């Protein structure tokens, strides 16, 4: 099941974001404080026992731009279209909010291409660069991420 995140999910979300490594597609870790203040951005996937097995966030950047970020599916549950469903839930929320352009910065462009995203130059995402990239320890030379966008 995919649902909006709740306060009790934060530890599990934190664990998922800390669990990725460079070999599978790196996701930036986020502090507990950031997760509490941005909890409303998140959707989670839960198994039959209610355990959180995936997460994804929709971050509002500007009046006409939102970002998909913090996407992780736990390794044992990959390949079951949970990643797709998590992203689609965020896209649906973006449409509900009236934001029709969504982007992501990713090391797994093939996954987002399957969902209909297309590669785009970073220069078209000025707001993102000013918001996050300038303060990122991997910017610019250590960053392997590709910018991908979707018009909804
Ligand atoms: C990327 C990730 C979220 C995919 O989750 P998933 O649940 O296994 O993906 P899905 O099953 O929903 O895959 C949807 C489609 O993308 C394809 N796909 C999945 N991972 C892919 C990859 N790494 N490269 C290319 N295509 C991929 C699937 O084959 C599927 O195609 P289909 O619709 O034609 O069957 C998961 O591998 C993960 O958590 N990786 C580590 C963290 C990460 O890289 N996050 C993204 C950073 S922005």
């Amino acid at each position: 099941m995919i649902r909006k995140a709740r306060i009790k999910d934060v530890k599990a979300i934190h664990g998922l974001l800390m669990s990725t490594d460079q070999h599978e597609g790196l996701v930036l870790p986020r502090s507990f404080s950031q997760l509490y203040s941005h909890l409303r951005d998140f959707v989670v996937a839960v198994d039959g026992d209610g355990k959180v097995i995936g997460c994804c966030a929709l971050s509002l950047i500007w009046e006409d731009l939102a970002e998909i970020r913090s996407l992780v599916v736990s390794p044992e549950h990959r390949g079951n279209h949970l990643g797709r469903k998590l992203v689609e839930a965020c896209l649906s929320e973006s449409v509900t909010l009236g934001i029709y352009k969504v982007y992501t910065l990713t090391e797994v462009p093939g996954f987002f291409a399957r969902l209909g995203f297309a590669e785009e130059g970073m220069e078209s995402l000025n707001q993102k660069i000013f918001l996050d990239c300038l303060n990122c320890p991997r910017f610019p030379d250590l960053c392997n991420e590709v910018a991908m966008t979707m018009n909804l």
Side-chain angles (χ1 to χ4, degrees):
M1 183 178 75
I2 309 290
R3 61 160 170 78
K4 288 292 287 181
R6 299 173 189 152
I7 200 75
K8 283 193 171 160
D9 301 327
V10 166
K11 273 192 183 151
I13 293 171
H14 185 265
L16 283 170
L17 298 183
M18 294 295 286
S19 71
T20 61
D21 64 36
Q22 275 163 336
H23 305 294
E24 57 182 11
L26 203 58
V27 174
L28 286 181
R30 298 180 81 176
S31 66
F32 279 106
S33 167
Q34 288 172 324
L35 290 177
Y36 289 130
S37 58
H38 293 280
L39 183 65
R40 282 171 290 193
D41 291 353
F42 276 85
V43 289
V44 292
V46 292
D47 70 10
D49 298 324
K51 184 182 171 205
V52 174
I53 54 175
C55 63
C56 187
L58 179 78
S59 175
L60 308 188
I61 303 295
W62 210 247
E63 63 170 353
D64 54 359
L65 188 64
E67 178 184 14
I68 301 280
R69 59 187 294 171
S70 302
L71 169 67
V72 183
V73 173
S74 66
E76 61 275 29
H77 293 283
R78 289 181 192 163
N80 296 320
H81 286 158
L82 286 178
R84 174 187 285 275
K85 286 178 187 159
L86 285 162
V87 172
E88 285 174 350
C90 289
L91 297 179
S92 167
E93 188 170 16
S94 191
V95 170
T96 301
L97 291 167
I99 300 177
Y100 301 107
K101 182 167 179 180
V102 175
Y103 74 90
T104 192
L105 299 184
T106 183
E107 292 182 345
V108 287
F111 166 79
F112 283 98
R114 292 293 308 155
L115 272 61
F117 284 73
E119 270 189 49
E120 191 164 328
M122 277 292 281
E123 59 282 357
S124 68
L125 300 171
N126 287 334
Q127 298 102 322
K128 171 65 182 176
I129 291 176
F130 286 120
L131 269 175
D132 283 335
C133 296
L134 289 180
N135 290 313
C136 177
R138 298 167 75 204
F139 182 80
D141 294 343
L142 298 177
C143 177
N144 297 320
E145 292 183 331
V146 175
M148 301 193 76
T149 61
M150 182 190 265
N151 291 305
L152 297 162

